[in-house]
């Protein structure tokens, strides 16, 4: 089992237009989402971790990857602001929430991509080769997710534009 994660911080600001990936649900992906408000916080935080599993089966002199499973754990924290009714504060929170939702979309798309790439692993003569191919492919997908989250933050100035 591999456990990988990333943490990204964002400022309380508006999001610019950014082309976010489409999220296509995948039956091999299980997700948990924890939403938290943080009293006194001045920024939002989205964290993610991914675990993936699969079984290996040897048949006819070849090893096959079977039953990939991906578990995506998401945690989204946003500032807690007492109900002031101040439209500027409320608009800022709405924009922060929209920005954090962008990170969630990127992470969900990556989890689905991970499940797809694991299913696409070709049978090999040995299970060690299948495992190497699966781990290499998974690392690429997760690296792409990290890069997409960083690019999103750069393009939006962490939500400032």
């Amino acid at each position: 089992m591999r456990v990988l994660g990333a943490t990204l911080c964002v400022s309380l600001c508006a999001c610019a237009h950014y082309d976010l990936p489409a999220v296509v649900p995948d039956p091999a992906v299980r997700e948990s989402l924890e939403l938290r408000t943080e009293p006194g916080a001045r920024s939002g935080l989205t964290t993610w971790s991914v675990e993936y599993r699969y079984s290996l089966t040897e048949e006819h002199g070849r090893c096959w990857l079977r039953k990939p499973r991906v578990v995506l754990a998401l945690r989204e924290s946003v500032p807690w602001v007492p109900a002031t009714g101040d439209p500027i504060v409320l608009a800022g929170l709405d924009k922060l929430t929209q920005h954090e939702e962008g990170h969630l979309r990127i992470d969900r798309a990556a989890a689905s991509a991970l499940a797809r790439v694991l299913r696409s692993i070709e049978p090999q003569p040995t299970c060690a080769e299948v495992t190497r191919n699966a781990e290499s492919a998974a690392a690429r997908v997760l690296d792409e997710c990290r890069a997409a989250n960083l690019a999103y933050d750069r393009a939006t100035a962490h939500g400032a534009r």
Side-chain angles (χ1 to χ4, degrees), residues 8-66:
L8 300 161
C9 298
V10 294
S11 306
L12 175 60
C13 300
C15 292
H17 175 71
Y18 184 84
D19 290 328
L20 292 166
V23 179
V24 179
D26 189 297
V29 176
R30 298 289 177 261
E31 177 185 313
S32 66
L33 174 61
E34 179 184 345
L35 299 173
R36 298 173 26 169
T37 55
E38 300 289 338
R42 298 180 64 177
S43 63
L45 176 69
T46 295
T47 60
W48 57 273
S49 66
V50 174
E51 294 179 17
Y52 62 97
R53 297 180 183 93
Y54 50 83
S55 58
L56 299 171
T57 304
E58 291 183 294
E59 297 173 352
H60 311 292
R62 314 249 323 141
C63 184
W64 303 73
L65 186 145
R66 302 275 193 219

Side-chain angles (χ1 to χ4, degrees), residues 66-106:
R66 302 275 193 219
K67 299 180 185 173
R69 295 285 179 254
V70 176
V71 177
L72 174 63
L74 298 162
R75 178 180 288 171
E76 181 182 31
S77 299
V78 294
W80 178 79
V81 178
T84 63
D86 182 340
I88 294 173
V89 171
L90 296 176
L93 287 175
D94 284 345
K95 290 175 182 176
L96 174 63
T97 300
Q98 289 172 359
H99 180 80
E100 293 303 316
E101 284 295 321
H103 284 296
L104 295 177
R105 281 185 61 184
I106 291 167

